Amino acid sequence: MELIEVSGCCYYFSGAVNIGYIHKEGQGLLIDSGIDKGTAKKVLKILNEHQLPVDYVILTHAHTDHYGGASYLQKELQVELHAQRLEAAIMEHPILEPIYLWNGAVPIKQLRNKFLEGEPVIIDGFLFEGQQELGPFHFEALHLPGHSYSQIGVLIDGILYAADSYFGTKVLAKHKVPFIVDADATINSLEKLKSLTLQGAIPGHGDYETAFEETIQANIECHNNIKLFLLNSIKASTDGISMEALMKRMFDHFGLRAREIGQWLLYRTSFTAYISSLIEAGTVSISINEYTLWLKGESV
């Protein structure tokens, strides 16, 4: 983990999950906290070495790799935690993620792990889209849903801390099917990013870029290509296809591997998000055929 300066007051910790940091008027604002106590301790160690404080923490969304270390920070430093209201509800009740991944039923023990269920926190203040103020920090909170239900990005002094609204191209190439909960919202958020004039942007996973238009376009094309593959596969099945059979085709086509149940469920959520988009667009219909969810192409 390395602390990198991108402007006079804006920094980020480069790692598997990027963590933002802003320093103004002797105070520090952290954007996200890493996956667990160990990551948070590393962040504090580096900040202490540079004699940099932490007074506020913004949590962009309720995925454990972004908020899992916040409980330690809250207990260790008594810092204020701020998040969007819906995302905050999940952070305060982290079992909600295993619950929704397990179709709403009480989750099995294999899903009760630090990758899917972080330590609970108490959110001190809610963030809303638009201009915000925390101490000396004046910033714009951007509503960027799609990867999660109500994810926010933070725009301050021309630098966008974009959370997981987009991914670096190397990350896209590695994962092939990114995690999303809403395909249409994901693409709309990406289009929103294209309209911004920025000094630079930092994704939750990937490299800082001063010109990120090509990366944003690569993300849009990734999602559109997945939707098109699924739509064509459904239309190629004259009598329709089951959700299970289509998901297997997706795994085979993109060379996906799920080593454990949690990872498979994350892929299933993304798959369902794309299917939901096709259904709502009227290009695919869904029904029940012999106790199985059944998809069929429709003429528009």
Side-chain angles (χ1 to χ4, degrees), residues 118 261 298:
I261 292 173
E298 296 292 324

Coordinates of all heavy atoms in Angstrom, one line a residue, residues 118 261 298:
G118 N -19.1 -7.2 6.6 CA -18.2 -6.4 7.4 C -18.6 -6.2 8.8 O -19.7 -6.6 9.2
I261 N -19.1 -20.5 -3.1 CA -20.5 -20.1 -3.2 C -20.7 -18.6 -3.3 O -21.4 -18.1 -4.1 CB -21.4 -20.8 -2.1 CG1 -21.4 -22.3 -2.3 CG2 -22.8 -20.2 -2.2 CD1 -22.1 -23.0 -1.2
E298 N -38.5 -11.4 -27.3 CA -39.7 -10.7 -27.8 C -39.4 -9.8 -28.9 O -38.3 -9.2 -29.0 CB -40.4 -10.0 -26.7 CG -40.8 -10.9 -25.5 CD -42.0 -11.7 -25.9 OE1 -42.8 -11.3 -26.7 OE2 -42.1 -12.9 -25.4

